[in-house]
Amino acid sequence: MAAYTSTLSTPRRRPRAALRVAMLAPPWITVPPPGYGGIEAVVALLCDELVARGHEVTLFAAPGSHSAADVRAPLAGTHADQIGSSLYESDHVSTAFDAVEQAAVRGRPFDIVHDHSGFTAAAMAARLSVPVVHTLHAPFNDETRPFYARHGHKVRLVAISHSQLEQAPPGVQVADVVPNPIRVGDWPFCADKDDYLLWMGRMDPDKGAHRAIVAARSASARLVIAGPVQPGQEEYFRSEIEPHIDGRDVSYVGEVGGTRRKELFAHAKAFLMPIHWAEPFGMVMVEALACGTPVIAFPEGAASEIVLDGENGFHVADEQGMADAVGLLDTIDPLRCRKSVASRYDVALVAGAYETVYHKVINTNAGRTARSARHSPPSRHRGVLAGPRRPPRIQHAR
Ligand code: UDP
């Protein structure tokens, strides 16, 4: 097993010293998101909870964002249709970094930067004197592995699931696992289900809306599909999804938000998760479960840990297995579904886990700074966590 700390299992402690946290959201969508936006939902919850626990949080996010934290918008507009554009991401990050540096110059330095924004901040983290915690929101794959092999040492990497951690390449040190949060009390619990299955997400073949259609057909069950068709997904939607929409057996309700989204989750008989990719977390699963809705999933990525086979849903191998599991839904207790989320992913647990991470990083950084001041000349090239190079840790491939 890889060397990491499962920070959630840390026993509760007394409140610790208040920290000054610079939280870096992605620049594309407001915090909280009006509809689609898993990372933005995570950042929204975390900021509110950290402020409630007495920390001073500054949130750098898309304009129009709202939070209990002090919100700053480095860019003039949102860019939901240009997710990943280096022009906007580098502008957003560099402007936020300028503000972090200015805070130090004014004698009010941040204690920690917590980055959720993509790749630029991690790559450039060595520019800052403040330690940077980088939550891994993307899977380790052929594109991201070389990036983290080169730049991962500049930040404290936090995985959002154990399965994501296990895919870290050799030499990339992921020190903590902190799952994404949900405020369970914000989600309506419903034990009395309507007669439909639900699929919700972005229209990406990896997420498998087309496989959900096959499974629902095979189970002779109604299916509701929700989610945005993002740029680049039009052809998949046109060819694989649209031809099956008849408003009766298969309905498409577009991108949903607010109460409508919660009601859809709460009243569904089950949530379908027929993924074919290493899902790093998958907020839709915990949202469904929080509402007392079982999840039937292909156990890939974090679906294998969020869904507890036979307890809050089922692990199935294919579309036919998914259809067969629909017949077993009566054996799943909706209350147990909700509890399986409250006990593992509630925002109070997650914020407490991040407090632990922040303090570990700050202490490590302070120790390093003191040691390097005593023993070595300053180096422009050192990452905040660099110090003497650590030996690579062995990670087990899946
Ligand atoms: N979502 C939403 N409306 C939609 C589709 C999705 O609000 O029409 C939300 C969904 O509830 C979840 C997030 O978008 O909070 C998607 O996050 P997830 O981790 O499931 O997927 P990913 O980040 O990989 O797209």
Side-chain angles (χ1 to χ4, degrees), residues 35-38 200 202 207 227-228 255-256 261 279 282-284 287:
Y36 172 81
M200 190 185 297
R202 51 191 157 89
K207 296 277 190 176
E255 182 172 0
V256 291
R261 176 177 68 140
E279 180 78 56
M283 284 301 291
V284 285
E287 291 163 351

Side-chain angles (χ1 to χ4, degrees), residues 47 53 127 142 163-164 167 179 212 215 225 233 243 271 273 332 377:
C47 283
R53 295 161 88 97
R127 167 183 153 184
D142 290 347
S163 81
Q164 184 194 38
Q167 287 156 12
I225 295 176
Q233 297 166 356
F271 186 83
M273 195 72 184
I332 303 293

Side-chain angles (χ1 to χ4, degrees), residues 2-10 156 162 174-178 356 360:
Y4 70 93
T5 313
S6 184
T7 317
L8 268 189
S9 60
T10 307
R156 175 86 168 203
H162 292 272
V174 181
D176 306 279
V177 177
V178 182
T356 302
K360 276 195 288 191

Side-chain angles (χ1 to χ4, degrees), residues 40-51:
E40 290 76 11
V42 166
V43 170
L45 282 172
L46 198 53
C47 283
D48 288 352
E49 182 67 19
L50 288 170
V51 170

Side-chain angles (χ1 to χ4, degrees), residues 190 192-200 216 219-226 248-251 253 259-272 291 293-294 296 326 329:
C190 178
D192 188 17
K193 301 298 189 184
D194 289 350
D195 197 19
Y196 67 91
L197 304 171
L198 177 65
W199 181 97
M200 190 185 297
S220 303
R222 279 180 58 220
L223 176 68
V224 175
I225 295 176
R248 197 179 27 125
D249 293 335
V250 180
S251 310
V253 295
T259 311
R260 171 103 170 97
R261 176 177 68 140
K262 290 180 177 174
E263 293 293 313
L264 273 176
F265 274 123
H267 293 287
K269 207 154 70 161
F271 186 83
L272 304 186
C291 297
T293 300
I296 309 174
V326 171
L329 286 169

Side-chain angles (χ1 to χ4, degrees), residues 15-58:
R16 285 172 286 199
L19 297 174
R20 297 197 74 228
V21 181
M23 192 74 71
L24 200 47
W28 323 113
I29 297 171
T30 57
V31 173
Y36 172 81
I39 300 174
E40 290 76 11
V42 166
V43 170
L45 282 172
L46 198 53
C47 283
D48 288 352
E49 182 67 19
L50 288 170
V51 170
R53 295 161 88 97
H55 301 290
E56 206 180 308
V57 183
T58 301

